Amino acid sequence: MSSTDTLRTPADDSAGVEAGLDALEAVQVQRTPVSVILRRKVLPPVLGVVLVLAVWQLAHSLELTTPDKLPSPADVWDSLTELWYAGTLFSIIWTSVWRGLSGFVLSVLIGTPIGLVVAQVKPVRAALGPVLSGLQSLPSVAWVPAAVIWLGINNSAMYAVILLGAVPSIANGLIAGVDQVPPLFLRAGQTLGATGLRGARHILLPAALPGYLAGLKQGWAFSWRSLMAAELIASSPDLGLGLGRYLENQREFTNMSGVLLGIILILTVGVAIDLLFFSPLERRVLRSRGLLTTTH
């Protein structure tokens, strides 16, 4: 053993640990340059959209089918500009977005406590676990006729279809997340006095967050799909004009340009909600747990 090793003091060891922690902290705060983000995150989907438009235009130019069945991208753009100049584009989108987001929030408020109870109480899990799984696999459109008969053709029926489609997904996602929580975390929380609602808030939910977040993403997808199914089938002046009803109206008019525009708008809203809310939240959760590395 060298003389330098024998002369090391606890203060030296503490300084070394602090230096190591400072180095780790310095790595965590580094940010990816904007140019790299644009090249890796923005450019690929833009190129994908351009490719789809090019193939679409090529199929239209080659007249693989009649123009009334496959309009060109320019025809769909004309349909979009018609809505824009008529002043109805944003009202149509907002009608559906508001319903979808409101129904999703209600689904979270209902599905979260259900998931916690089912995950923690074994008799309840044995009774309701298969029911939740079955409801999750049931197509949302199947609930539309029943909701209309029960509640009438109104917003209540729309929200009922959303809840029946989204709540099981959110609850099952939380159940899966709770199942993945190490028992040591729960025992440590109980030792510190975090039991009951306090334990669920401070220990269980944070530990189950990855699975819960996956359930929330799936719950939003079910909310949006359920709403579109309800708007396609149920028609009433009291409901206003949403994206699903706009799509069905264009189908009734045999306006394929309008049909494709409705599909594109529905797809765009679903992707936008995921990119603006769920993807950043997911990255934040992964980064906080050291599961997301930054590139240099």
Side-chain angles (χ1 to χ4, degrees), residues 42 44 102 106 170 173 175-176 178 210 251 260 284:
V42 178
S102 301
L106 289 174
I170 296 172
I175 293 170
V178 170
R251 196 275 308 170
L260 290 177
R284 182 176 179 180

Side-chain angles (χ1 to χ4, degrees), residues 148-173:
V148 169
I149 294 175
W150 289 335
L151 303 170
I153 305 178
N154 50 40
N155 279 316
S156 298
M158 298 288 162
Y159 288 121
V161 174
I162 294 174
L163 292 176
L164 290 168
V167 167
S169 296
I170 296 172
N172 282 328

Side-chain angles (χ1 to χ4, degrees), residues 174-195:
L174 181 54
I175 293 170
V178 170
D179 289 342
Q180 296 172 5
V181 175
L184 180 61
F185 288 6
L186 302 179
R187 291 197 294 269
Q190 292 173 357
T191 302
L192 296 173
T195 58

Side-chain angles (χ1 to χ4, degrees), residues 171-244:
N172 282 328
L174 181 54
I175 293 170
V178 170
D179 289 342
Q180 296 172 5
V181 175
L184 180 61
F185 288 6
L186 302 179
R187 291 197 294 269
Q190 292 173 357
T191 302
L192 296 173
T195 58
L197 293 178
R198 292 181 60 191
R201 177 185 175 186
H202 297 289
I203 303 297
L204 199 58
L205 278 177
L209 194 54
Y212 182 42
L213 182 57
L216 291 179
K217 291 181 66 174
Q218 192 173 37
W220 162 249
F222 272 85
S223 296
W224 190 238
R225 286 185 290 183
S226 301
L227 175 61
M228 292 302 103
E231 289 185 352
L232 278 167
I233 296 175
S235 175
S236 171
D238 297 334
L239 293 175
L241 182 61
L243 287 172

Side-chain angles (χ1 to χ4, degrees), residues 248-264:
E248 178 62 14
N249 287 346
Q250 300 308 303
R251 196 275 308 170
E252 293 175 354
F253 297 147
T254 322
N255 181 7
M256 193 60 188
S257 297
V259 169
L260 290 177
L261 175 61
I263 294 173
I264 292 172

